């Protein structure tokens, strides 16, 4: 049974930090590209950061470059999102996604809420 379980969300003040984790099970984690998406209040879901399966190369949406870092630990079947200097506009539900495009495989977690407010 495939599972992606996000954790680490919560309430943080502007300028603060959080580290999100996504624990994967039920598939060969190292074969999959991993990404973090978010959906803010009244907004569409957007890609925040992604990391490839083979080289672990990261990519980021412009609004988080220099503040967020995506990483993966294939031994622990976990992908992380380190979020620094958080802003109120980062408030959203953050989702983890696993994809193996060649085989049309695509899995989502249920999300974790991040609220940035003073």
């Amino acid at each position: 049974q495939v599972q992606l379980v996000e954790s680490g969300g919560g309430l943080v003040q502007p300028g603060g930090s959080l580290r999100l984790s996504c624990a994967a099970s039920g598939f060969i984690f190292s074969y999959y590209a991993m990404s973090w998406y978010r959906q803010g209040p009244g907004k569409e879901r957007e890609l925040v950061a992604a990391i490839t399966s083979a080289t672990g190369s990261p990519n980021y949406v412009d609004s988080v470059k220099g503040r967020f870092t995506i990483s993966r630990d294939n031994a622990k079947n976990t992908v992380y999102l380190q979020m620094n200097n958080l802003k109120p506009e980062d408030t959203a539900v953050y989702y983890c996604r696993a994809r193996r495009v060649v085989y049309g495989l695509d899995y989502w977690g249920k999300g974790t809420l991040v609220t940035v407010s003073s």
Side-chain angles (χ1 to χ4, degrees), residues 35-49:
S35 53
W36 287 95
Y37 284 70
R38 68 184 179 188
Q39 188 165 15
K43 298 181 180 179
E44 294 187 353
R45 191 173 297 190
E46 66 168 347
L47 175 65
V48 176

Side-chain angles (χ1 to χ4, degrees), residues 56-103:
S57 298
N59 281 287
Y60 304 93
V61 67
D62 285 347
S63 59
V64 308
K65 284 182 180 177
R67 300 189 298 123
F68 290 11
T69 302
I70 187 171
S71 61
R72 64 189 297 159
D73 186 336
N74 288 341
K76 294 183 177 180
N77 291 349
T78 302
V79 62
Y80 304 97
L81 186 68
Q82 177 67 44
M83 305 186 296
N84 299 327
N85 190 22
L86 283 160
K87 303 176 180 181
E89 52 264 41
D90 295 318
T91 294
V93 177
Y94 284 73
Y95 299 90
C96 175
R97 184 184 190 184
R99 296 183 73 188
R100 197 173 180 194
V101 174
V102 173
Y103 294 95

Side-chain angles (χ1 to χ4, degrees), residues 1-6 21-37 45 47 49-53 70-72 74 77-80 94-111:
Q1 181 182 0
V2 171
Q3 279 194 311
L4 292 172
V5 180
E6 301 95 336
S21 300
C22 172
S25 60
F27 60 96
I28 302 175
F29 179 78
S30 61
Y31 288 0
Y32 285 68
M34 300 299 298
S35 53
W36 287 95
Y37 284 70
R45 191 173 297 190
L47 175 65
I51 188 165
T52 61
S53 58
I70 187 171
S71 61
R72 64 189 297 159
N74 288 341
N77 291 349
T78 302
V79 62
Y80 304 97
Y94 284 73
Y95 299 90
C96 175
R97 184 184 190 184
R99 296 183 73 188
R100 197 173 180 194
V101 174
V102 173
Y103 294 95
L105 299 172
D106 191 358
Y107 309 121
W108 288 85
K110 294 183 178 181

